Structure formats: C-alpha cells, structure tokens
Amino acid sequence: MKTIKIKLIAVLALIAFVSISCNNNDSDDSSQQSQTIVSIAKANPNLSSLVAALEKANLSTTLNSSGTYTVFAPTNTAFSAFLSAKGYENLNAVPVAALKEILLNHVLNTKVKSTEIATGYVKTLAKGSASTSNTLSMYLEKGSGIDINGGKTNGGATVTNADIEASNGIIHVVDGVIGLPTIVNHAIANKNFTTLVAALTYNPSSGFAGILSGTASSPFTVFAPTNTAFTSFLTETGYSGLAAIPANVLETTLKYHVVAGANVLSTSLTNGQVVNTFAGQNFTIGLTGGAKITDTNGRISNITATDVQCSNGIIHVIDKVLLPKF
C-alpha cells in the first residue's frame, strides 16, 4: 500500500511539472506574439539601424499598430553596406522620401511564414517612379534558403533568420537592404529569363541593358520572352545561338519587345490595340481566348504572366520571341 502511494505521488508530481512547463512555454510564446514588429525590432540590438530608419521615415507608427505585415528586416551590417554603396555618410543623409520607399519595399501587406513562401512574385508596399497605382513586385526564390530579388549581388537579399512572430505579423531577418528593382534587376532575379539577360548584355556597345536599368526614356513596358521562347526562336530562325545573330538583328528584335515612355498595366490592354515599340515597328494586342500579341510577321505570342512592377517600368511575360521586319 505504501509503495502504491509513493508511485501515485510521483505521477502527480510529474503531471504538475509538465503542466507548469507547458504554461511557461505558452507564456513565453504569448509574450513574444503580443509584441509588435517595432517592439521586437527595438529589443534586437542587430536591428537598431532599422528602427532608426523607421522612425526617420515616420513608419514606426504603422508597424507598431494593428494589422498584418511581413517585414524583411535588414541588419545593422546590411544598412552600413547600403549607406557605403550609395555614398551616404550616415542614415540622416538619406532623403526621407527615398528612405520611406526603400523601407516600404521590405514590407508585404500580409503575413507570410517561410513555409508558405513559394518561388514567384509578391507585392510590396513601395512605389517606384513608374506607376502611381501599382506597387513594386518582389521576386522570392525558394530553394535551400530564400533569396529576394536575386540576392545581394542583384540589389536584393537573402533571409538569414526566418519566422519571428509578432502580434501584427512576422519578421524575416535579411542580409541586405533591398533596393527598388529595375527591369534588369527583375530579369536577372528570375532564372526563366537567363537567355533574355544574356541577349541584353551580349552587345555592351548597344547600351540597351543600361537603358533598361535607368530612368532615361522611362517608364518602359517590356514584353519578356522566357528561355523556352528563345530556344524556339533560335530553332525557327536557324541561328545556332545568340552569338550567331547579327548585332543589328538582335538589337532590333530586343527593342521590338519594349514600349518606351509608358507603364502599361494589363488592365489597360484592349482588343485590337496597336502598340508602337522602341524599334519603331508595331504589333497588335488580342484578347479573345486569352491575351496575345500578333507581331508584324503574323506570328502569335501568348502573354502568360502580367504586371511585374519595377521601379522604372513593368514586365509582361510572353511565350514566343516577337519578330520584327528587317
């Protein structure tokens, strides 16, 4: 009888210990999740530059309030590298308007855990100079880690510490300040456009890649062929590769995919619309049975994805290279 009582006391003690431990863990989780994004950042010494930047740009109140956000949070080291690269002496030297847009380019208006991230485009809260209504796109690539806009070498970043829960969203710490992406930045970030990037940079003397990286003549609307589209194009035209295409032919072909001076959203495309391109030649938009383009040679390309917003224009993805007249 005495042995049974001792065993019963031991079991009850174990149950009490487990219960207390669980309650403590729940308390810790609740304490973390009851803090806002700004509160958590303030408690992290590696995010002090981010906190200072948010306060300077008057965004602390937004990220300290109720709502649901995902914040890709650059470390102090990331901010130091950014300031040095841009030639700013310190954070105070960054114009408030520019700093605000840069910070908003790190924020999504929804909570996205790392396990919910898939390779593709999402929308940030930032706006570039190309559009007043369409916010900038961010390209997330999910592999062994999570790269943003092609990583640091392309003006983006990589997630180094994911899923810090907050009462109003979630924080993913990143190793770089994410710049406002240009058309070329977005083309480089997406591996489906490696041939397009190679074509843009194949003849540096044309300066075409530089044009699409800058703001002169912008905004631009680019109808971007995928790698598969370029493979089909080479087969169709009989060229053995990009190197076999005469420089003037390649440049004219690339310019035929660009509309200068306009940020044309997919919602602005109309059936039968005639579009004048940077090459000085037209193509026609068709919307019957899906959005498509008929080029000057009567060839049809389907528009497979739309409205990838860049700081200096917009990208629509197409499945066939458009062919101008030569």
Side-chain angles (χ1 to χ4, degrees):
M1 187 70 175
K2 184 176 180 181
T3 302
I4 293 174
K5 285 183 178 180
I6 291 172
K7 287 183 177 179
L8 179 60
I9 291 170
V11 169
L12 291 174
L14 178 61
I15 292 172
F17 175 77
V18 171
S19 176
I20 291 170
S21 297
C22 289
N23 287 336
N24 284 341
N25 287 336
D26 290 343
S27 177
D28 290 343
D29 290 342
S30 298
S31 175
Q32 176 80 349
Q33 292 184 26
S34 67
Q35 296 182 71
T36 65
I37 289 167
V38 172
S39 297
I40 292 171
K42 284 182 176 179
N44 188 333
N46 289 321
L47 299 179
S48 59
S49 293
L50 172 62
V51 172
L54 290 171
E55 291 175 349
K56 176 179 169 65
N58 297 315
L59 290 174
S60 289
T61 301
T62 301
L63 295 180
N64 205 32
S65 62
S66 60
T68 308
Y69 303 100
T70 297
V71 174
F72 296 95
T75 61
N76 296 344
T77 302
F79 267 101
S80 294
F82 164 75
L83 294 172
S84 177
K86 296 298 182 181
Y88 293 118
E89 184 178 352
N90 51 45
L91 196 59
N92 289 330
V94 185
V96 172
L99 181 61
K100 183 176 182 179
E101 288 306 309
I102 289 168
L103 292 171
L104 288 174
N105 195 44
H106 293 71
V107 183
L108 312 182
N109 197 25
T110 184
K111 179 181 177 180
V112 184
K113 296 181 179 180
S114 63
T115 53
E116 298 169 336
I117 291 175
T119 296
Y121 295 101
V122 294
K123 287 289 187 183
T124 75
L125 297 186
K127 291 180 181 178
S129 58
S131 176
T132 57
S133 58
N134 195 33
T135 59
L136 293 179
S137 298
M138 172 186 283
Y139 188 72
L140 299 174
E141 184 174 12
K142 184 75 169 287
S144 56
I146 300 169
D147 286 333
I148 303 164
N149 291 350
K152 283 200 297 184
T153 57
N154 193 44
T158 297
V159 174
T160 57
N161 184 14
D163 299 329
I164 302 172
E165 296 273 358
S167 61
N168 59 344
I170 199 163
I171 299 171
H172 305 302
V173 178
V174 295
D175 64 357
V177 172
I178 305 165
L180 306 187
T182 66
I183 288 168
V184 172
N185 287 143
H186 264 312
I188 291 172
N190 189 334
K191 291 177 181 176
N192 289 311
F193 295 133
T194 54
T195 308
L196 174 61
V197 172
L200 288 171
T201 56
Y202 186 76
N203 181 17
S205 63
S206 71
F208 198 43
I211 291 171
L212 294 181
S213 294
T215 56
S217 301
S218 69
F220 302 98
T221 298
V222 175
F223 294 87
T226 61
N227 296 340
T228 303
F230 268 101
T231 299
S232 298
F233 172 74
L234 292 172
T235 300
E236 178 185 356
T237 56
Y239 291 117
S240 59
L242 291 177
I245 304 175
N248 66 310
V249 172
L250 182 59
E251 184 174 341
T252 301
T253 300
L254 290 172
K255 287 183 176 180
Y256 191 49
H257 292 75
V258 178
V259 178
N263 190 86
V264 183
L265 293 168
S266 60
T267 52
S268 299
L269 299 175
T270 58
N271 195 44
Q273 180 180 0
V274 177
V275 178
N276 186 36
T277 72
F278 202 33
Q281 300 184 45
N282 299 333
F283 60 69
T284 304
I285 298 293
L287 299 181
T288 303
K292 56 183 65 68
I293 296 171
T294 302
D295 65 27
T296 189
N297 289 286
R299 298 161 64 260
I300 296 175
S301 173
N302 296 300
I303 301 175
T304 58
T306 61
D307 300 331
V308 178
Q309 188 63 57
C310 314
S311 61
N312 63 338
I314 197 165
I315 297 172
H316 306 299
V317 184
I318 56 176
D319 66 356
K320 184 177 285 188
V321 174
L322 306 175
L323 190 61
K325 296 287 188 182
F326 298 102

